[in-house]
Amino acid sequence: MRSPTASAAGAAALALVLAAGACTVPGGSADTLRVLAGSEIADLEPLLEEVSERTGVTVELDYTGTLDGLARVAGGDTDGYDAVWFGSNRYLHLDGGGRTAVHTETPVMVSPVVLGVTGSRADELGWTGGAEVTWADVSRAVAEEGLTYGMTHPGASNSGFSALIGVASALADTGTALESRDVERVRPELEEFFGGQEVTAGSSGWLSEAFERRAREGRPVDGLINYESVLLSLNASGALEEPLALVHPADGAVTADYPLTLLADPSEDAVSAYGRLVEDLLSGPTQQRIADDTWRRPVSPDAVLRAQVPPLVELPFPAHRQVVDDLVADYVGVLRRPARTVYVLDVSGSMEGERIRELRSALVALTGADGGSLARRTQAFQEREEITLLPFATEPGEPRTFVMEPGSADAVAEDVAEEVRSLEADGETATYDALREAYALLEGGSGDHLTSVVLMTDGEVNLGSDLEDFRLSLEGLSPEAAAAPVFTVLFGDSDESEMSSVAEVTGGRVFDAREQDLEQIFREIRGYQ
C-alpha cells in the first residue's frame, strides 16, 4: 500500500488498491470502484480496507489536486474512473459540464474551514471564553495586532479555496451569494487580511506539519486557517507545546461535506458497488469510526464527535463560476504576499539530451497562463513574483532574477522563457555549493515575500560541499533567509535519501518526477510557493 506524495495541481500517478480481491459479495462476485480523489481522503485508507472486507467492494484511489480534479470532471476527462471524492462539489456545480457529469453524490462527513490560534495569542486578543469573533475581527487583528497565520493555496487545496471564499463572503456581508462587485468593494480589506499570511502550502496536511515545525524551531506563526478536523487532530496529537484555540467565526464558514460522487452513465456493477459502499459509510458504526479517527463531524445522528464544537453556520457560496475564478486570480496576483523563489537547476553533463529538453519545456510552461483550468492558470508565474534561475554544474552559474512587474509581466515571462531555453548541459554536480549560493541570494530580502528554493537534480552530488557543510551554512544566515524551505525534485538518477535529507533539514518536501511528468511536478510545487 502506497501513500500519496502530494495533492495539488495535477493527478498523482499513485494508485491505492484496498483489499484487492480479498473478499466476495453474496453471490460470489467481487466489485471494484475506481475513484479520483483529493489527497485529504487518504486518511480514510485503513477504514476503507475494513469497509471492503464487509462489502466486497475494492476501492482504487488515484490522487489529484482538488481544483485540477474538478476541472477534469467538468471537461469529461475521467476515463477509467467510476467516481470522484473531493472535499466539496460546489465549484463543480457552477459548471454546466460539471453538473451533467454527476450521477449521484452522497456527503459522507463534514468539516468547516475555521481558524486555530495559539492559546496565549487568543487570550491576548480576547478570543477565548466564548467570545464572538467575526472574520472582520480577524482582519483587524492582522492590521492592528500583527496576527500571523498559515493557509493553503486556493488554487491547489480545498481548505485554502474554501477559506478564500468564506473570508470574501463574510467581509462583503451581503447575506447573499458573492458577486464580482462585492469582491471589488472589499478588495482593500482582503489585501489587509492576507497580509497576515506567512505560511502557504499545497495541502492541508503539510501546512499543519509546517506550523508545528516552525513552533518547534522558534519561528512560530500565531495560527492556522484549516479544516476544523485538522486543527482538532493537531491538538490531539500532542505535538504542540501550546494547543490551538479554535475560533469559529460568528458570521460563518465554508464547509467541506466530502461527497462520494458516482459519475454519469455508470455501469450496473458501479451502481451496485457504490450503493453498498455508501450504505456502509453512512452506517452508525462506520460514521463513529470516521469521527474518532479523522475528527470530522459525522453526517449520521447515530455518531458523535468527541470534541465540543458549535453548530455549523454556513456562508453562501458564489452562484457564478466567473466570480470564483476572478477571486482566486485576485488572490494569486494581488491579495496575497508575492512569492520569491530560487530555482536551483542541475545542468551537469548527465542532463544532456532528453533530460535538459524536458527541464526547459517544464519551466517554459510556467511562464504564461495557457487558457486552461483555473488550477493551471494559478500555477503560472504571477505578477509581483520574483523568480531567480540558478543553474549549476561543476559550480553555481550566474543567477538571473526576474521580477514580474504589473503591466510588464508578459514581457518578463518571455525573458524567463528565453533564459530557460538557453540552458545547456555540461560538467559535474556540485549541488550543495549551488544551494548555499541560493540561500545567499535570499539574504537581505525585504520580508514581504513568501520565499522558497526549488532544487531539481538528476544525479548524486560528486563535487564541492556536502550535506553537513550545507546544514552548518544555514546557521550563519538571518532567520528570514534560513526559514526558506527547499522543495526537492527527484529526477533521473537523483539520490532519494540525499534529497529527502535536504527537504527535512529545511522544512521542505520531496516531489518525485521519476515516474511523473516534470511539468506537472513543477506545477504542483507552485501550490507551496
Side-chain angles (χ1 to χ4, degrees):
M1 181 181 301
R2 294 185 296 171
S3 297
T5 56
S7 62
L14 302 178
L16 170 74
V17 181
L18 301 173
C23 54
T24 60
V25 296
S29 62
D31 290 309
T32 298
L33 201 68
R34 298 157 299 178
V35 183
L36 183 65
S39 65
E40 58 206 86
I41 302 299
D43 63 0
L44 292 180
E45 291 171 8
L47 177 64
L48 288 174
E49 289 180 341
E50 298 174 15
V51 173
S52 178
E53 292 174 0
R54 291 191 294 268
T55 63
V57 178
T58 299
V59 181
E60 295 181 355
L61 294 171
D62 274 352
Y63 294 97
T64 185
T66 298
L67 289 187
D68 218 30
L70 294 175
R72 290 179 61 181
V73 176
D77 181 21
T78 53
D79 287 348
Y81 296 106
D82 303 300
V84 296
W85 203 352
F86 296 103
S88 170
N89 281 348
R90 290 185 183 91
Y91 184 71
L92 184 66
H93 290 319
L94 298 180
D95 184 279
R99 291 190 294 272
T100 59
V102 173
H103 179 277
T104 307
E105 60 183 60
T106 307
V108 173
M109 49 199 175
V110 174
S111 193
V113 175
V114 297
L115 173 67
V117 182
T118 59
S120 59
R121 194 73 166 104
D123 283 337
E124 290 175 8
L125 294 168
W127 290 354
T128 55
E132 184 174 285
V133 182
T134 65
W135 286 114
D137 292 328
V138 178
S139 184
R140 279 191 291 273
V142 169
E144 299 173 9
E145 306 290 341
L147 181 73
T148 59
Y149 60 87
M151 188 187 93
T152 62
H153 193 300
S157 168
N158 184 64
S159 65
F161 177 73
S162 298
L164 174 63
I165 299 297
V167 170
S169 296
L171 293 179
D173 194 25
T174 64
T176 59
L178 195 68
E179 298 285 352
S180 295
R181 61 178 178 273
D182 302 323
V183 177
E184 184 66 30
R185 175 170 54 83
V186 300
R187 181 174 282 116
E189 294 172 75
L190 289 169
E191 287 188 57
E192 185 174 82
F193 183 93
F194 290 112
Q197 184 181 4
E198 288 199 1
V199 183
T200 187
S203 71
S204 301
W206 191 86
L207 179 70
S208 177
E209 293 170 8
F211 177 84
E212 186 274 326
R213 179 189 177 100
R214 287 180 63 117
R216 186 175 69 248
E217 295 179 347
R219 302 181 291 111
V221 291
D222 295 322
L224 280 178
I225 298 176
N226 211 327
Y227 292 119
E228 174 190 76
S229 58
V230 172
L231 302 176
L232 290 172
S233 178
L234 187 57
N235 277 348
S237 72
L240 298 179
E241 183 176 334
E242 184 178 13
L244 296 169
L246 268 63
V247 176
H248 293 78
D251 37 6
V254 172
T255 300
D257 59 357
Y258 300 95
L260 180 57
T261 304
L262 187 65
L263 295 172
D265 303 318
S267 67
E268 290 184 8
D269 287 344
V271 171
S272 174
Y274 177 86
R276 297 199 305 278
L277 182 63
V278 164
E279 182 179 10
D280 191 291
L281 288 172
L282 297 185
S283 68
T286 302
Q287 284 281 292
Q288 191 61 57
R289 279 287 308 281
I290 289 173
D292 292 344
D293 293 354
T294 74
W295 294 92
R296 298 185 183 101
R297 304 189 190 200
V299 296
S300 167
D302 298 325
V304 294
L305 189 66
R306 285 176 289 163
Q308 294 294 316
V309 292
L312 292 173
V313 178
E314 188 71 17
L315 284 163
F317 197 84
H320 305 289
R321 175 176 169 174
Q322 193 61 50
V323 176
V324 177
D325 288 1
D326 289 347
L327 179 57
V328 175
D330 267 1
Y331 168 84
V332 175
V334 178
L335 301 176
R336 69 164 227 163
R337 292 167 61 190
R340 184 184 184 199
T341 309
V342 181
Y343 286 84
V344 182
L345 307 172
D346 185 348
V347 292
S348 61
S350 60
M351 285 288 293
E352 189 172 11
E354 181 58 31
R355 291 179 179 178
I356 193 72
R357 286 192 291 272
E358 188 174 351
L359 173 61
R360 293 189 198 115
S361 175
L363 281 173
V364 168
L366 301 183
T367 60
D370 60 5
S373 68
L374 174 61
R376 290 181 68 85
R377 294 199 303 275
T378 61
Q379 291 156 6
F381 295 137
Q382 303 291 323
E383 289 186 349
R384 305 180 301 137
E385 187 170 353
E386 290 187 18
I387 304 123
T388 296
L389 303 179
L390 179 62
F392 75 94
T394 302
E395 60 185 17
E398 185 69 27
R400 288 288 308 277
T401 295
F402 303 85
V403 181
M404 302 284 285
E405 295 286 1
S408 61
D410 289 345
V412 175
E414 183 51 43
D415 290 340
V416 176
E418 183 178 350
E419 183 69 17
V420 168
R421 294 187 189 104
S422 72
L423 295 174
E424 298 291 344
D426 186 39
E428 301 299 321
T429 311
T431 303
Y432 293 113
D433 288 351
L435 280 175
R436 293 173 69 173
E437 175 65 17
Y439 275 87
L441 293 170
L442 292 175
E443 280 279 36
S446 64
D448 294 333
H449 291 73
L450 297 170
T451 59
S452 64
V453 175
V454 177
L455 169 63
M456 201 293 301
T457 179
D458 77 328
E460 296 183 9
V461 180
N462 58 20
L463 194 69
S465 305
D466 60 16
L467 177 62
E468 185 59 26
D469 294 330
F470 170 62
R471 192 196 312 268
L472 291 173
S473 72
L474 295 177
E475 297 177 2
L477 298 174
S478 65
E480 293 76 19
V486 176
F487 301 114
T488 60
V489 180
L490 298 176
F491 187 66
D493 303 313
S494 56
D495 187 314
E496 182 172 359
S497 175
E498 198 160 33
M499 293 302 97
S500 296
S501 295
V502 171
E504 174 62 27
V505 165
T506 63
R509 67 172 297 174
V510 179
F511 294 82
D512 196 340
R514 293 172 299 184
E515 297 181 1
Q516 299 181 56
D517 181 69
L518 184 59
E519 177 188 333
Q520 189 56 53
I521 292 296
F522 277 143
R523 290 187 180 279
E524 193 170 341
I525 292 172
R526 296 287 294 159
Y528 292 77
Q529 299 175 332

